[in-house]
Amino acid sequence: MTRRHLVGPLVLTSFLVLVLIGISAHAQPAKAPKYGGVLVGSPLSAPPSLSPHEEATISTVQQASACFNNLVYFDPAKRQESAETLVPELAEKWSWQDNHRNLVFFLRKDVKWHDGKPFTSKDVKYTFDMVRGAKDAKGKLRVNPRKLWYANIEAIEAPDPHTVVFRLNRPQPSLLLMLAAGYSPVMPEHVPVTEFKNKCVGTGPFKFKEHRPGESVEFVKNPDYFVKGRPYLDGIKWVIIKDRSTQIAALQSGQLDVTGIGWNAANVETAKKGNARLVVMEADSGVNDNLLINFKRAPFTDARVRRALNLALDRKAYVVGPRQGAATFGGAMLPRPSGVWGLSDAEVKKLPGMGDAAKQKVEAKKVLAEAGFGPGKPLKVTVSTRALAIYVDTASWVVDQLRQVGIDATLEQIETGVWHPKMTRRDFDVALNLTGIGIDEPDANFLENFRCGSPRNYSDYCSEDIDRLIAEQSQILDRAKRLKLVHEIDRRLQADGARPILGWGKQYALLWPHVKNWVQHTNSIYNQSRMQEVWLDK
Amino acid sequence: MSVVIFFLMRLAPGDIVDILFAAAGYVNESDKQFLMKELGIDKPIWAQYIDWLRGLAVGDFGKSYRYDQSAWEIIRPLIPVTVELAALATIFSIVLGVPAGVLSAVRQDTTLDYVLRLVSLAGLSLPSFWLGMVIILGLVAWFGWIPEMTYISPRENLPGHLVQFLLPAAAVGYRSSALLMRITRSAMLEVLREDYVRTAWAKGQGSRAVVWRHALKNAILPVVTVIGIEFAFLIGGLVVTETVFNLPGVARFLVEAILWRDYPIVQNLVLFIAVVVVLSNLIVDMLYGWLDPRVRYSS
């Protein structure tokens, strides 16, 4: 065999050896999780309480979730939450019965509350009777932001200590997902709900240790946790750091293992510049910037005026402007691929405000002229918003965009304490608002924000036809059919300018490489904080 | 004073119930009324005021609306943090500012005087929180280290506790020291021109005795006044420094309580600050008499 003939086999052999080395390197078993260590994180803010049912902020859910369990939960390891990623927690299994009119949960028998009392079906009934505001409920929430989620429940029964039946007025497959939300933990019947202001008694992987108001919240490992071998951590400590620069410095110096909620792209860049080893996880937040247009106040009763406002707002400028690139375009439902129910890219591109900015502004002026407004008689609009930077930045941009089509817009900043009362009184022309959706589910969004008469439907948008479609989609069991109808509703909501969506903000988590199994979900920030799988490779 | 504290707070729009519902993203009138009744803010303001005074008389500071916890239990751990920080900052400012002011006056119009005046001007120009932030960012950039961001109790770890407090005290104290330096300098320049100082020099007394015993003792009154005012100011004015260094003090918590309209916390913290202002002024007045017997004799 000549040297020339040897070259081919040699190259081939070398290639195969390299491939094998590569495969073996990849085939190495994943590092075994280590036990021990305390995870130190810094949340968005101090929790108003440790009672998730009474709050609507990520601060409470993120810090309190490790103390609780739900009947079912979104698999913490799967990035996208959906009906397919539900895993059992306090319920061993569940079953839809009577043509999806009854949802039956079969509960675990080995679960104890952190104070040693046994967990039973009575606790489940107590919790959800309280949340839905049942007449015979044994507890009452001081504030009940998600009562609407459970409006379709006719009764909850506890036939034996380990079985719970949710009887529904009509089929509603989304109920399971609502029960899986971080906002829906099961609470103990024997502990008054008022005590959850400052402490927490749950069944979860971590027990409450200490709450120093405005300073820190600490949890320790629950040695009796019903999932054997979990959690890995000895504890979790949430340190409240209000100053963003200090938070960044604390992360860079290693005092924090993880932080990032509420950061913008510039904060992330600064932190990364200071320490390139930090791991950045970016995801859609499930929070959208939207415009509330008062449907009951003239001249916004005129569909042409609403359309002009919608067209005037160039969504591409919004992403690069106030959001500094950290946002995605979409309709009422979180856009794909992060979201499950969002409109397709092609459809999003057709939404008002997504086209050529110059042409849309010309069209907006034309529509305004048809409605009787022009240079001689400009439309006067007050854009109200909360006096918080994240609101004011975008609202200022809205004012500028409206002025570009000849609208005489002015900005009004409203103190947080009077913001929602003002919105509830409908005491505004146009308002820049942020809406967070607890779970990526049409029912959670449509029922709260777009149904006639809903307390959070601040625009007072009301369409009987849309209400009928919302109720119809809620009952559809076939996913593909439901998706089609959800898209139809979303398109119509955008065309009607029900609550024009400017875009969906991004969310970040920054952590050190030694934090393992921290999975940032792509379509919600609210349902991933159980922490039982997280471990520290130190 | 209590009337001003109580009623001024209630001029701000909204109350805790509005804030709670704002956080929940909706408003329900019947739930709101229920909650107002539970917290006792459905009563007329004058009735709430009397309730508060009645509580104060028996040492009951009320209950935090936000945390549903005794206001005193919440406030108690905050006070030593702020008092310690203010005291350390004041000590820092005295140790740095008074000798520098004396030196600057004694060496008037020399290079040392110019340098010290420049340093003091810088101290007055730089906001202490900005300086604090620069210290933190500098430390993390150069050493990858910053002081502990969780409060360390002196009983648990005294060295760690001191390290945690020294940097913010230095940041705040530097600004105060600049003020003290300028006041000391101008007071000393005035006194150094007095006849009795000239007489002391003529008698051949040593410079230490003339400057420190004769001149400074007579120049110190305005300095003591400023120290008293500065200390009282620091008790309620360290919001940003406490925020930047993440120290759980009075001022930072006060801002949070105001934003949440947590009246029992706000009222009692403002009352505490007012008491400190009164006490520090009282101490300053008493020091006058000790430092300058003429004040006692004239009264």
Side-chain angles (χ1 to χ4, degrees), chain A residues 99-349:
Chain A
N99 195 24
H100 274 71
R101 290 279 301 274
N102 294 338
L103 177 57
V104 185
F105 289 101
F106 304 97
L107 308 179
R108 295 184 71 114
K109 295 178 177 128
D110 54 350
V111 181
K112 281 187 177 169
W113 294 101
H114 292 157
D115 58 8
K117 299 240 165 66
F119 157 75
T120 70
S121 56
K122 280 186 179 175
D123 297 306
V124 181
K125 179 174 165 50
Y126 159 79
T127 302
F128 293 101
D129 272 349
M130 179 169 66
V131 178
R132 72 192 183 91
K135 280 180 185 159
D136 56 347
K138 290 182 179 169
K140 178 168 171 55
L141 298 171
R142 302 205 313 175
V143 181
N144 193 351
R146 278 166 299 279
K147 189 177 173 181
L148 261 181
W149 282 16
Y150 305 99
N152 184 36
I153 297 173
E154 189 186 4
I156 298 173
E157 291 161 12
D160 69 59
H162 301 106
T163 309
V164 182
V165 184
F166 285 68
R167 296 202 183 283
L168 310 184
N169 292 312
R170 56 170 175 75
Q172 189 186 10
S174 66
L175 179 65
L176 249 184
L177 282 85
M178 291 173 179
L179 292 171
Y183 282 122
S184 310
V186 178
M187 314 280 279
E189 187 187 4
H190 62 280
V191 182
V193 71
T194 48
E195 289 190 18
F196 287 80
K197 269 266 153 205
N198 297 302
K199 68 171 195 178
C200 169
V201 177
T203 54
F206 294 90
K207 294 163 86 162
F208 174 78
K209 183 184 173 192
E210 189 183 22
H211 179 202
R212 293 187 188 180
E215 200 187 333
S216 62
V217 183
E218 281 184 76
F219 296 91
V220 290
K221 181 178 188 163
N222 174 10
D224 303 318
Y225 191 46
F226 59 84
V227 180
K228 298 301 164 212
R230 300 291 189 282
Y232 293 114
L233 298 168
D234 284 342
I236 301 169
K237 182 169 184 177
W238 293 106
V239 182
I240 318 300
I241 301 177
K242 287 176 189 161
D243 185 79
R244 188 59 48 78
S245 304
T246 309
Q247 213 177 24
I248 292 172
L251 180 70
Q252 289 174 338
S253 69
Q255 283 191 32
L256 298 176
D257 294 309
V258 61
T259 186
I261 290 275
W263 286 20
N264 60 29
N267 300 141
V268 172
E269 207 176 308
T270 307
K272 273 292 276 184
K273 255 186 209 165
N275 198 319
R277 287 174 60 213
L278 291 169
V279 178
V280 178
M281 290 186 179
E282 186 189 76
D284 283 303
S285 62
V287 179
N288 63 60
D289 289 303
N290 55 74
L291 201 67
L292 301 171
I293 304 173
N294 194 337
F295 273 65
K296 293 277 170 71
R297 182 181 282 188
F300 310 103
T301 43
D302 186 335
R304 291 170 299 185
V305 173
R306 297 197 301 267
R307 180 166 165 72
L309 292 174
N310 206 350
L311 285 168
L313 304 172
D314 174 20
R315 308 307 202 263
K316 287 165 196 158
Y318 150 83
V319 170
V320 292
R323 279 291 177 178
Q324 297 174 25
T328 44
F329 309 115
M333 294 305 299
L334 180 67
R336 287 190 276 183
S338 293
V340 176
W341 302 94
L343 295 168
S344 67
D345 273 355
E347 285 175 300
V348 168
K349 280 178 189 158

Side-chain angles (χ1 to χ4, degrees), chain B residues 127-176:
Chain B
S128 52
F129 68 84
W130 181 85
L131 189 61
M133 186 48 69
V134 168
I135 290 173
I136 290 212
L137 295 179
L139 285 172
V140 79
W142 290 322
F143 305 107
W145 174 90
I146 57 170
E148 191 64 43
M149 286 295 131
T150 317
Y151 175 67
I152 304 171
S153 161
R155 273 168 287 177
E156 285 168 18
N157 177 1
L158 185 62
H161 173 84
L162 286 175
V163 168
Q164 191 174 35
F165 273 73
L166 282 177
L167 289 173
V172 176
Y174 175 47
R175 194 201 68 87
S176 300

Side-chain angles (χ1 to χ4, degrees), chain B residues 11 36 42 162 230 267 295:
Chain B
L11 290 179
M36 286 178 82
D42 60 328
L162 286 175
E230 275 290 293
Q267 285 157 203
V295 175

Side-chain angles (χ1 to χ4, degrees), chain B residues 176 179-180 183 220-232 284 288:
Chain B
S176 300
L179 185 65
L180 287 190
I183 300 285
I220 204 77
L221 284 190
V223 179
V224 169
T225 311
V226 172
I227 291 171
I229 293 169
E230 275 290 293
F231 180 78
V284 166
Y288 279 175

Side-chain angles (χ1 to χ4, degrees), chain B residues 34-50:
Chain B
F34 174 82
L35 201 48
M36 286 178 82
K37 197 172 177 185
E38 191 183 293
L39 297 173
I41 53 176
D42 60 328
K43 294 182 187 172
I45 292 181
W46 61 265
Q48 293 178 46
Y49 176 65
I50 290 172

Side-chain angles (χ1 to χ4, degrees), chain A residues 5-163:
Chain A
H5 285 118
L6 278 172
V7 172
L10 264 174
V11 168
L12 188 65
T13 312
S14 311
F15 177 72
L16 284 173
V17 168
L18 283 172
V19 167
L20 283 172
I21 290 170
I23 288 172
S24 64
H26 279 286
Q28 272 178 2
K31 216 169 184 182
K34 290 178 186 169
Y35 285 91
V38 174
L39 180 92
V40 184
S42 185
L44 178 67
S45 64
S49 78
L50 296 174
S51 175
H53 288 291
E54 294 182 289
E55 307 296 347
T57 165
I58 181 62
S59 298
T60 290
V61 179
Q62 188 182 40
Q63 290 167 80
S65 284
C67 174
F68 293 106
N69 286 113
N70 291 31
L71 289 166
V72 290
Y73 200 54
F74 291 104
D75 188 342
K78 305 259 170 65
R79 292 203 72 205
Q80 190 181 53
E81 297 167 2
S82 71
E84 286 70 44
T85 68
L86 291 176
V87 290
E89 270 207 316
L90 293 171
E92 265 177 337
K93 53 186 178 171
W94 59 90
S95 143
W96 285 102
Q97 296 177 359
D98 191 19
N99 195 24
H100 274 71
R101 290 279 301 274
N102 294 338
L103 177 57
V104 185
F105 289 101
F106 304 97
L107 308 179
R108 295 184 71 114
K109 295 178 177 128
D110 54 350
V111 181
K112 281 187 177 169
W113 294 101
H114 292 157
D115 58 8
K117 299 240 165 66
F119 157 75
T120 70
S121 56
K122 280 186 179 175
D123 297 306
V124 181
K125 179 174 165 50
Y126 159 79
T127 302
F128 293 101
D129 272 349
M130 179 169 66
V131 178
R132 72 192 183 91
K135 280 180 185 159
D136 56 347
K138 290 182 179 169
K140 178 168 171 55
L141 298 171
R142 302 205 313 175
V143 181
N144 193 351
R146 278 166 299 279
K147 189 177 173 181
L148 261 181
W149 282 16
Y150 305 99
N152 184 36
I153 297 173
E154 189 186 4
I156 298 173
E157 291 161 12
D160 69 59
H162 301 106
T163 309

